[in-house]
């Protein structure tokens, strides 16, 4: 049995969307970050960094943290959501890595400095607004010639990226002027598994 430990967040939604897309049976454990549950010893035994999501697969003896690793594991386990041809596979992995190393951290820092920092630092806000626009432009250019990030096939790269565009829409980090990215977002958002995945363990409100 697969167990997923997660909270309402863009990174958590990546894992719930993937599990729903793959129709894998799993147990959902709500780790309430606002109540400090990610710092409890039992959770830190799963991820010493104290971050969600965490996935365990008892049958394989696997415990994973970091959403990109979880997505790759689920794709490898099922043979789905990752193209089998060499070019498509590495396009998906490349864009997954772009998300993990650039998009996610950049938007995460913008969220902090623009919405949650106790002291507003205009230079930091402006920096991460600009970097966010750069990321959106890169994605838009890629999607101008391809329906999905890996090419023709929907993949874990799209799931990872959507986790953050979903939140960007909720908190009004507008990317509507990037029309190819916006059209892709709507295509992914319409998928039944995506619609369900972003409600688990609870919908995001932006509050």
């Amino acid at each position: 049995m697969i167990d997923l430990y997660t909270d309402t967040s863009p990174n958590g939604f990546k894992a719930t969307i993937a599990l729903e897309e793959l129709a894998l049976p799993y147990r959902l454990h709500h780790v309430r970050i606002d109540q400090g549950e990610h710092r409890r010893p039992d959770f830190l035994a799963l991820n010493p960094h104290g971050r969600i999501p965490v996935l365990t697969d008892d049958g394989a003896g696997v415990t994973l943290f970091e959403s990109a690793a979880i997505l790759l594991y689920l794709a490898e386990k099922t043979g789905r959501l990752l193209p089998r041809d060499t070019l498509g596979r590495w396009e998906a992995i490349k864009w997954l890595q772009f998300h993990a190393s650039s998009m996610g951290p950049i938007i995460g820092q913008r969220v902090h400095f623009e919405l949650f920092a106790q002291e507003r630092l205009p230079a930091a806000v402006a920096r991460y607004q600009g970097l966010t626009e750069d990321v959106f432009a890169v994605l838009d250019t890629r999607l101008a010639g391809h329906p999905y990030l890996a090419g023709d096939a929907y993949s874990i790269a799209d799931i990872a990226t959507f986790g953050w565009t979903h939140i960007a829409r909720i908190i009004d980090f507008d990317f509507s002027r990037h029309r190819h990215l916006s059209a892709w977002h709507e295509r992914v958002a319409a998928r039944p598994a995506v619609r369900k995945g972003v409600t688990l363990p609870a919908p995001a409100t932006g509050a």
Side-chain angles (χ1 to χ4, degrees), residues 34 51 71 73-74 81 95 102 120 124:
D34 61 352
R51 300 179 68 184
L71 291 174
Y73 177 76
L74 292 173
L81 297 177
W95 287 101
S102 297
R120 187 170 180 85

Side-chain angles (χ1 to χ4, degrees), residues 125-154:
V125 172
R127 170 178 169 78
Y128 284 103
Q129 286 177 342
L131 290 172
T132 299
E133 278 299 305
D134 290 345
V135 164
F136 289 157
V138 168
L139 292 168
D140 191 66
T141 298
R142 171 62 180 175
L143 292 164
H146 307 275
Y148 298 104
L149 289 167
D152 293 331
Y154 173 74

Side-chain angles (χ1 to χ4, degrees), residues 64-149:
L64 290 171
F65 50 86
E66 296 297 334
S67 56
I70 290 170
L71 291 174
L72 281 167
Y73 177 76
L74 292 173
E76 292 283 354
K77 179 181 178 71
T78 61
R80 295 172 57 198
L81 297 177
L82 190 61
R84 296 187 179 185
D85 64 289
T86 300
L87 179 59
R89 175 184 174 84
W90 284 104
E91 284 298 310
I93 292 172
K94 177 175 72 179
W95 287 101
L96 175 66
Q97 292 298 100
F98 173 78
H99 171 79
S101 64
S102 297
M103 181 189 184
I106 285 169
I107 299 180
Q109 289 298 307
R110 180 177 172 184
V111 168
H112 170 74
F113 284 111
E114 193 166 329
L115 302 179
F116 294 113
Q118 292 184 350
E119 179 185 358
R120 187 170 180 85
L121 302 173
V125 172
R127 170 178 169 78
Y128 284 103
Q129 286 177 342
L131 290 172
T132 299
E133 278 299 305
D134 290 345
V135 164
F136 289 157
V138 168
L139 292 168
D140 191 66
T141 298
R142 171 62 180 175
L143 292 164
H146 307 275
Y148 298 104
L149 289 167

